[in-house]
Amino acid sequence: MPNIKSAKKRVKVNAVKAFRNKRIKSNLKTILKKADAAITGSGEDKKDAVILAIKTVDKACAKGVMHKNKAARQKSQLARKLASV
């Protein structure tokens, strides 16, 4: 445990940010799985699921949770899967 006041604050701030990032990443993974399942499934909501997934990827990228190249790659992969169906 740190003794310096600023170091104590950094521990608290890092914990809050880690919790926020974990929440965003978990939600992103869930939505990506749902979009993938919708694409492979026989439902009619494929396009809506992909649009929601792309929007979530963009938000995660904007908040700094995900690198912009990874976000672009995931969006491209989703679009390719949707187009192949």
Side-chain angles (χ1 to χ4, degrees):
M1 193 67 194
N3 295 323
I4 299 169
K5 187 177 180 181
S6 61
K8 289 179 184 178
K9 182 177 179 182
R10 292 307 320 157
V11 169
K12 288 181 185 177
V13 169
N14 287 340
V16 169
K17 287 184 177 182
F19 179 73
R20 177 182 143 252
N21 291 343
K22 186 174 182 180
R23 217 178 70 223
I24 292 169
K25 284 182 183 180
S26 176
N27 185 36
L28 177 66
K29 288 178 189 177
T30 303
I31 290 177
L32 287 173
K33 285 179 187 175
K34 286 182 181 178
D36 194 38
I39 290 171
T40 57
S42 62
E44 294 295 324
D45 58 341
K46 295 175 186 188
K47 189 174 180 182
D48 294 335
V50 170
I51 289 172
L52 178 64
I54 288 174
K55 187 185 296 187
T56 309
V57 168
D58 283 334
K59 284 183 181 180
C61 181
K63 290 179 188 277
V65 175
M66 172 187 290
H67 193 272
K68 63 179 185 172
N69 291 351
K70 181 177 180 180
R73 185 175 68 244
Q74 284 191 334
K75 292 190 302 185
S76 174
Q77 287 172 350
L78 281 170
R80 256 189 315 183
K81 283 180 188 176
L82 183 63
S84 70
V85 173

